[in-house]
Amino acid sequence: MTAEPAGTPPAQPPDPVTLIRTRGYAVLLVMVAVLGVPVSAAAFGFLALVSELQSLTYDDLPDALGFTATPSWWPVPLLGVAGLLAGLAVRYLPGRGGHKPAEGLVSTGPPSAAQLPGIALAALASLGLGAVLGPEAPLIALGGGLAVWAVRLIKPDIDPGAVAVVGAAGSFAAVSALLGSPLLGAFLLMEASGLAGMMLGVALVPGLLAAGIGALIFTGLGSWTGLGTYSLALHHVPHADSPTVAEFGWAIALGLGAALVGAGIHRLALFLQSRVERRTVVATAVMGLVVGVLALVYAEGTGKSASQVLYSGQHDLDPLLADSARYSAATLVVLIVCKSLAYCASLSAFRGGPIFPAMFVGAAGGLALSHLPGLNPTSGFAMGIGAMCVAMLKLPMTAVLLATLLLGTEGLTVMPLVIVSVVVSYVVTLRITPPPAAFTKEPPAA
């Protein structure tokens, strides 16, 4: 290696403004815009397939077998099968099913083309049959991988830096409408990937373009097929009065409680994950049975639907808030315990994203506390979502936006409370959460 001559100034990073003005950057934007259409259409198809699998396995199949309604024990064998299928995909297909949700929402770059089938199959077995995870992590991986695979077919000698931007843009397009807003998806990926500094705009603009196009594709396909957009949305948000001194006290308490609960979920999930990886197929099936039993316990113990413990919780947030007056504090506590434990089991073994279950657990916790004096249900709902999301994801800006944009105009009213709860939860979480290495070891070959 040749030494640099004495006094040679260090190489300067590229100027973002100059880079944006180049012809290559304009070509990259056009390429991203074109790729955003098929990637977002594929993401819409993936979500539609997950929805159809859920309906087929929990509604149509029991009906075809002669049951007048889905039995409360039905999730137990079905989640066992889900664990078996997901475990086989993780153990034997390239890529080990993709992102490990117990380790948080982290950016590891787009997967290779060979890894895409294993990621898709593990996610479909997990999400379609009732594991307590969301679709955002598989969509991020599949969107980025499909975009990079497509661009390399067109231009095999593409610059590695451009490949990274295209992969990020594919992920933006895939999750563009899932969280209810392209801007919210952009913040999520920006924080998760650690983008910062002046180069943020260079990488973010193609992603925003892809996200905007993806949102249009989701809307168009949802209208054309009649399936909807699969976007996170609330339709019945009770009015929230201006924050009170008592509610700021509740924001501090809720932030502290969410940090403790989130740390417990995270530690238990990592502890179980290291054990699951020793016998992937069998242990994943066992974790599936655990999720099914927890759903059965909740249904039998409260008379409510087992589906509230199953799945990501994305579609149950709206009825949970709208019908919150029909839930006693005891029922909500049982729901929180069963959902949290099912969340732990799913994080440890299945494949999916950690966001929506965290939102649901936090929302239920806020509603449970609203049975006590001084806390409005809508405020508790929003603070619980923000505080639990930041406890699980460690992404404070995304947590605030998730909790406030979701509530529409009422979100502006409760935003100060959400910020306080998120900040408290974030600081406490960072202080009490040890690094993942404290719980995980490299597992022996299964």
Side-chain angles (χ1 to χ4, degrees):
M1 180 181 293
T2 305
E4 290 287 341
T8 302
Q12 296 296 317
D15 176 50
V17 176
T18 302
L19 187 58
I20 289 174
R21 290 175 177 173
T22 61
R23 179 178 177 274
Y25 191 76
V27 171
L28 180 63
L29 288 179
V30 173
M31 187 182 304
V32 163
V34 172
L35 286 174
V37 176
V39 168
S40 54
F44 182 91
F46 177 83
L47 291 173
L49 182 55
V50 168
S51 179
E52 288 300 311
L53 281 174
Q54 292 174 351
S55 177
L56 175 67
T57 53
Y58 280 91
D59 296 323
D60 298 342
L61 185 56
D63 182 66
L65 293 176
F67 294 102
T68 56
T70 304
S72 57
W73 52 261
W74 187 258
V76 178
L78 202 58
L79 264 299
V81 172
L84 181 63
L85 295 176
L88 288 170
V90 171
R91 175 68 181 87
Y92 294 107
L93 295 180
R96 296 193 62 81
H99 164 262
K100 298 178 183 179
E103 297 176 6
L105 195 65
V106 294
S107 176
T108 57
S112 66
Q115 295 172 341
L116 294 178
I119 293 173
L121 290 173
L124 285 173
S126 301
L127 306 177
L129 299 184
V132 186
L133 293 169
E136 67 280 358
L139 283 180
I140 290 171
L142 293 172
L146 285 172
V148 170
W149 173 71
V151 79
R152 280 180 170 155
L153 284 180
I154 301 169
K155 190 176 176 60
D157 59 343
I158 187 171
D159 179 76
V163 168
V165 174
V166 168
S171 296
F172 274 62
V175 298
S176 58
L178 180 65
L179 299 174
S181 166
L183 185 60
L184 187 50
F187 267 99
L188 169 68
L189 291 172
M190 179 182 70
E191 284 197 292
S193 63
L195 292 173
M198 285 297 293
M199 290 301 290
L200 170 61
V202 176
L204 191 57
V205 168
L208 286 173
L209 175 61
I213 291 173
L216 290 175
I217 297 299
F218 265 62
T219 301
L221 287 175
S223 175
W224 178 59
T225 61
L227 297 174
T229 62
Y230 304 106
S231 298
L232 179 63
L234 297 179
H235 302 98
H236 305 91
V237 180
H239 175 69
D241 294 323
S242 298
T244 64
V245 174
E247 286 183 324
F248 276 103
W250 277 118
I252 296 172
L254 217 158
L256 177 60
L260 296 175
V261 173
I265 291 173
H266 189 220
R267 292 185 186 204
L268 180 56
L270 288 173
F271 174 83
L272 292 174
Q273 176 182 275
S274 63
R275 274 70 185 168
V276 167
E277 289 178 340
R278 296 172 184 172
R279 294 290 183 270
T280 301
V281 178
V282 174
T284 304
V286 170
M287 289 298 104
L289 292 173
V290 169
V291 174
V293 168
L294 288 165
L296 172 61
V297 168
Y298 173 72
E300 290 295 318
T302 65
K304 302 288 186 180
S305 173
S307 65
Q308 293 178 325
V309 172
L310 304 174
Y311 309 125
S312 67
Q314 173 188 355
H315 300 296
D316 286 319
L317 282 171
D318 191 28
L320 180 67
L321 178 59
D323 300 332
S324 59
R326 300 181 182 179
Y327 287 80
S328 67
T331 297
L332 288 169
V333 169
V334 174
L335 176 59
I336 293 165
V337 171
C338 291
K339 187 80 170 184
S340 297
L341 292 175
Y343 186 23
C344 287
S346 299
L347 285 170
S348 71
F350 289 92
R351 292 297 184 261
I355 295 177
F356 293 120
M359 293 178 68
F360 188 89
V361 170
L367 290 175
L369 290 176
S370 71
H371 284 265
L372 298 174
L375 182 59
N376 178 280
T378 301
S379 300
F381 181 88
M383 288 190 292
I385 288 176
M388 185 56 68
C389 279
V390 81
M392 294 303 299
L393 305 177
K394 301 179 181 65
L395 306 176
M397 283 294 295
T398 299
V400 171
L401 289 173
L402 273 171
T404 54
L405 293 182
L406 181 61
L407 270 64
T409 56
E410 301 299 330
L412 296 176
T413 303
V414 302
M415 183 180 286
L417 298 172
V418 172
I419 291 173
V420 172
S421 66
V422 166
V423 169
V424 171
S425 179
Y426 182 59
V427 172
V428 174
T429 297
L430 292 183
R431 291 185 66 87
I432 67 175
T433 303
F439 300 100
T440 57
K441 297 179 181 178
E442 192 66 28

